[in-house]
Each structure stands twice: as structure tokens, then as C-alpha cells.
Amino acid sequence: MKRILFAVLGAISLSACAQAPQGAAAAAKTDPAKADAAQPAVPTGNAPKVAAGSADARAVEAVRTLNPKVDIDKVGPAPMPGFREAVVGGQVVYVSDDGRYLFLPGSGGALFDTKAKRNVMEDTLAGMRRDLLKTIPASERIVFAPPNPKHTVTIFTDVECGYCRKLHSEIAEYNRQGIAVEYLAFPRMGIGSEDYKKMVSVWCATDRRKALTDAKSDHGAVSSKQCKNSVEQQYEVGQRAGLTGTPMILNVDGVQLGGYVPPAQLREALDKLAAESKTAAKPAAAVATPVGGL
């Protein structure tokens, strides 16, 4: 499935509450200093000064393809062969020497095909997420839906996250936009935390919808309850799906649409994905598939 390029380079971070760090691996970094020493990086700025036709020039062109307005601070050799390293708006990116692929490291990561203007990693991740979501029964989701929804999204949520609360405060507007929301639990502070206990209480409540709304209100009150529940399973599915913060919004195909996304903007994104999916299903010779963004 083709992936619309929702975010331009340097705007990959989502409006979401971060998950608690998981061990020493969260602090691990790779030091490219030795590679830089081999050949000084070329300062570029808004008017890159690189040799025409060089790998550096192709790297600059690749970055400009995704975002023509972004500042490029430098470009030079990468720690691995076949790539150039660029610092773009304070963020390190890697571009293949032919300029075709741009890799954005860090939390979540992304590998862009600059010609197709899509995140090729998302194709694999979306299919995996779609299969993972199938493991959670419909009965274990907390659903807020209009009578005849145009779109359905799955949202991993947390009762303590400010962005999750903001999203839920607008749940009626999401429904008015024709969007059904199916909530899954992701207590971002981890299993056994107070956050986790609150979410267990929500999933054990007689009226889960009311309990979730109450838990996300300013007073955050929810009656403590225990029962057989799937909160831990949902948390594990979220981790396997690559969740790093809440909320995490997925469409029916497993494509991640962001963290907090305003109702009208989310409807627009879902409409574009649906239209693109229909276009991709037609014979390639008959249709030229447009590439767009929000």
C-alpha cells in the first residue's frame, strides 16, 4: 500500500506523551566523529556549496525534495559506506550516494524513497500492526462511534497523558467527522504503575466508556477495580507495534497517522488514504497516482 508523506523532514516527532525509558538501550548513541575526520563536512545552510554531480549534491537534492525550505547545516561522509551524512535542522539524516533513499534515525525511524515520496518502512510496519491488532478482540476495545462511521481508527491511549486527554475531550467532534474511535490501553509508565492500575480499573468498570471519560477528566477519578483483563496484552501489542508515545492513531490498514491530530485534519488524512487505496487498486497503466501530504 502506498504511504502518503504526511510529515516533511524534521517534523517526524508527534504530538504525543513519551513512553517511560526502557533500560540502558534508550541512551545508546553512535558516534560518527571518526568518519567525519576522514573528510570535513561541507557547510551548506540555505545555499549549499557542493560540487555539482557529487554525492554531496545528490544528498542535498534529496533533502530538498522532501522539504525545500529546511536548513541544511552540513553534509559529508557517513559512518557506513554508500551513504552521506547530513545535519538538517539539528537532526542527523543519512542519504544514499545516489540520492534515492533518505534514512531518518532515532525513535521510530523512517526510510524515505525520495522519488516515490513515501516512507518505505511504513509498508512493512503497517502490515505488522494490522495483524497485531487482530489479536485483540473487539470486546476488549472501548468504542466511541457515530451511527454510520465513514472511517474507523484504533488509538492506543493512556489516562494520564495530556495529549490523550485533549483528544478525548474532542471525541464528539471526531464522531461528527464520521470517525469511529476504538481505544486500546497503553499505560505508558509501565505494567504495575499507578497509571496501569487506573487503566485496569477502567477496563474492569461496568461502563468502560464512562470510566475512561472520568479517568481522563481534570479530577481523574475512577473507582479502583480488579478483574480478568487484557490491559497487559494491549500494552505488549502497542510495544510490538512500535509505539513510543501516546496517543498513537492507526487506520484499518495499520498506517500510523500521528499522535494527537485535530478532528478535521484526521478526517482529511483518512479520506486521502482511502482515495489512495482505491487508486492503487486500479490498473497502473490507467491511473497516475498522485502523491500528497497534509
Coordinates of all heavy atoms in Angstrom, one line a residue, residues 30-36 38 55-56 76-86 92-98 101-106 110-111:
T30 N 25.4 6.4 18.5 CA 26.6 6.0 17.7 C 27.3 7.3 17.4 O 26.8 8.3 17.0 CB 26.1 5.4 16.3 OG1 25.3 4.3 16.6 CG2 27.3 5.1 15.4
D31 N 28.6 7.3 17.6 CA 29.5 8.5 17.5 C 30.1 8.4 16.1 O 31.0 7.6 15.8 CB 30.6 8.4 18.5 CG 31.5 9.7 18.5 OD1 31.2 10.6 17.7 OD2 32.4 9.8 19.3
P32 N 29.7 9.4 15.2 CA 30.3 9.4 13.8 C 31.6 10.3 13.7 O 32.0 10.6 12.6 CB 29.1 10.1 13.0 CG 28.5 11.0 14.0 CD 28.7 10.4 15.4
A33 N 32.2 10.6 14.8 CA 33.3 11.6 14.8 C 34.4 11.0 13.9 O 35.1 11.8 13.2 CB 33.8 11.8 16.2
K34 N 34.7 9.7 14.0 CA 35.9 9.2 13.2 C 35.6 9.3 11.7 O 36.5 9.6 11.0 CB 36.1 7.7 13.6 CG 36.6 7.6 15.1 CD 36.9 6.1 15.4 CE 37.4 6.0 16.8 NZ 37.7 4.5 17.1
A35 N 34.4 9.1 11.3 CA 34.0 9.2 9.9 C 34.2 10.6 9.4 O 34.6 10.9 8.3 CB 32.6 8.7 9.6
D36 N 33.8 11.6 10.3 CA 33.9 13.0 9.9 C 35.3 13.4 9.7 O 35.6 14.2 8.9 CB 33.3 13.9 11.0 CG 31.7 13.9 10.9 OD1 31.2 13.6 9.9 OD2 31.1 14.2 11.9
A38 N 37.7 11.8 8.4 CA 38.3 11.4 7.1 C 38.1 12.5 6.1 O 39.0 12.7 5.2 CB 37.6 10.1 6.7
A55 N 28.2 13.2 -4.7 CA 27.3 12.5 -3.8 C 26.7 13.5 -2.8 O 25.5 13.4 -2.4 CB 28.0 11.4 -3.1
D56 N 27.5 14.5 -2.4 CA 27.0 15.6 -1.5 C 25.9 16.3 -2.2 O 24.9 16.6 -1.5 CB 28.2 16.5 -1.1 CG 29.2 15.9 -0.2 OD1 28.8 14.9 0.5 OD2 30.3 16.4 0.0
G76 N 28.4 15.5 4.6 CA 29.7 14.9 4.4 C 29.7 13.4 4.5 O 28.6 12.8 4.3
P77 N 30.8 12.7 4.7 CA 30.8 11.3 4.7 C 30.0 10.7 5.8 O 30.1 11.2 6.9 CB 32.3 10.9 4.7 CG 32.9 12.1 5.4 CD 32.1 13.3 4.9
A78 N 29.4 9.5 5.6 CA 28.7 8.8 6.7 C 29.5 7.7 7.3 O 30.5 7.3 6.7 CB 27.4 8.3 6.1
P79 N 29.2 7.3 8.5 CA 29.9 6.2 9.1 C 29.9 4.9 8.3 O 30.7 4.0 8.5 CB 29.3 6.0 10.5 CG 28.5 7.3 10.7 CD 28.1 7.8 9.4
M80 N 28.8 4.7 7.4 CA 28.7 3.5 6.7 C 28.9 3.8 5.2 O 28.5 4.8 4.7 CB 27.4 2.7 6.9 CG 26.2 3.5 6.6 SD 25.7 4.8 7.8 CE 24.0 5.0 7.4
P81 N 29.5 2.9 4.4 CA 29.7 3.1 3.0 C 28.4 3.2 2.2 O 27.4 2.6 2.6 CB 30.5 1.9 2.6 CG 30.2 0.8 3.6 CD 30.0 1.5 4.9
G82 N 28.5 4.0 1.2 CA 27.3 4.1 0.3 C 26.3 5.2 0.7 O 25.3 5.4 0.1
F83 N 26.6 5.9 1.8 CA 25.7 7.0 2.3 C 26.5 8.2 2.6 O 27.7 8.2 2.9 CB 25.0 6.5 3.6 CG 23.9 5.6 3.3 CD1 24.1 4.2 3.1 CD2 22.5 6.0 3.3 CE1 23.0 3.3 2.9 CE2 21.5 5.2 3.0 CZ 21.7 3.8 2.8
R84 N 25.8 9.4 2.6 CA 26.3 10.6 3.0 C 25.5 11.0 4.3 O 24.4 10.6 4.5 CB 26.1 11.8 2.0 CG 26.6 11.4 0.6 CD 28.0 11.0 0.6 NE 28.9 12.1 0.9 CZ 30.3 12.0 1.0 NH1 30.8 10.8 1.0 NH2 31.0 13.1 1.2
E85 N 26.2 11.7 5.2 CA 25.6 12.2 6.4 C 25.3 13.7 6.3 O 26.2 14.5 6.0 CB 26.5 11.9 7.6 CG 26.0 12.3 8.9 CD 27.0 12.0 10.1 OE1 28.0 12.7 10.1 OE2 26.8 11.0 10.8
A86 N 24.1 14.1 6.7 CA 23.7 15.5 6.7 C 23.1 15.9 8.0 O 22.4 15.1 8.7 CB 22.7 15.8 5.6
V92 N 20.3 14.6 12.5 CA 21.2 13.9 11.6 C 20.3 13.0 10.7 O 19.5 12.2 11.2 CB 22.2 13.0 12.4 CG1 23.1 12.2 11.4 CG2 23.1 14.0 13.2
V93 N 20.6 13.0 9.4 CA 20.0 12.1 8.4 C 21.0 11.5 7.5 O 22.1 12.0 7.4 CB 18.9 12.8 7.6 CG1 17.8 13.5 8.4 CG2 19.6 13.9 6.7
Y94 N 20.7 10.4 6.9 CA 21.6 9.7 6.0 C 21.0 9.5 4.7 O 19.8 9.1 4.6 CB 22.0 8.3 6.6 CG 22.8 8.5 7.9 CD1 22.1 8.3 9.2 CD2 24.1 8.8 8.0 CE1 22.7 8.5 10.4 CE2 24.8 8.9 9.2 CZ 24.1 8.8 10.4 OH 24.7 9.0 11.6
V95 N 21.7 9.8 3.6 CA 21.2 9.8 2.3 C 22.1 8.8 1.4 O 23.3 9.0 1.5 CB 21.2 11.1 1.6 CG1 20.6 11.1 0.2 CG2 20.4 12.1 2.5
S96 N 21.5 7.9 0.7 CA 22.3 7.0 -0.2 C 23.0 7.9 -1.2 O 22.6 8.9 -1.6 CB 21.4 6.0 -0.9 OG 20.4 6.6 -1.6
D97 N 24.2 7.4 -1.6 CA 25.0 8.1 -2.5 C 24.3 8.5 -3.8 O 24.7 9.5 -4.5 CB 26.3 7.4 -2.9 CG 27.3 7.4 -1.7 OD1 27.1 8.2 -0.8 OD2 28.2 6.6 -1.7
D98 N 23.4 7.7 -4.3 CA 22.6 8.0 -5.5 C 21.5 9.0 -5.2 O 20.8 9.4 -6.2 CB 22.1 6.7 -6.2 CG 21.1 6.0 -5.3 OD1 20.8 6.4 -4.2 OD2 20.7 4.9 -5.8
Y101 N 17.5 7.2 -1.4 CA 16.9 6.9 -0.1 C 17.5 7.8 1.0 O 18.7 8.1 1.0 CB 17.2 5.4 0.2 CG 16.5 4.5 -0.7 CD1 17.2 3.9 -1.8 CD2 15.1 4.2 -0.6 CE1 16.6 3.0 -2.7 CE2 14.5 3.4 -1.5 CZ 15.2 2.8 -2.5 OH 14.6 1.9 -3.4
L102 N 16.6 8.2 1.8 CA 17.0 9.1 3.0 C 16.5 8.4 4.3 O 15.3 8.1 4.4 CB 16.3 10.4 2.8 CG 16.7 11.5 3.9 CD1 16.6 12.9 3.3 CD2 15.7 11.4 5.1
F103 N 17.5 8.1 5.1 CA 17.2 7.5 6.4 C 17.2 8.4 7.5 O 18.1 9.2 7.7 CB 18.2 6.3 6.7 CG 18.0 5.6 8.0 CD1 16.8 5.0 8.3 CD2 19.0 5.7 9.0 CE1 16.6 4.4 9.5 CE2 18.8 5.1 10.2 CZ 17.6 4.4 10.4
L104 N 16.1 8.5 8.3 CA 15.9 9.3 9.4 C 16.0 8.4 10.7 O 15.1 7.7 11.0 CB 14.6 10.0 9.4 CG 14.3 11.3 10.2 CD1 15.2 12.4 9.7 CD2 12.9 11.7 10.1
P105 N 17.2 8.4 11.4 CA 17.3 7.6 12.6 C 16.6 8.2 13.8 O 15.9 9.2 13.7 CB 18.8 7.6 12.8 CG 19.3 8.9 12.3 CD 18.4 9.2 11.1
G106 N 16.7 7.5 14.9 CA 16.0 7.9 16.1 C 14.8 7.1 16.4 O 14.6 6.1 15.8
A110 N 12.7 6.2 10.0 CA 12.0 6.3 8.8 C 13.0 6.2 7.6 O 14.1 6.7 7.7 CB 11.2 7.6 8.7
L111 N 12.6 5.4 6.6 CA 13.4 5.3 5.4 C 12.6 5.8 4.2 O 11.6 5.2 3.9 CB 13.9 3.9 5.2 CG 14.7 3.6 3.9 CD1 16.0 4.4 4.0 CD2 15.0 2.2 3.7

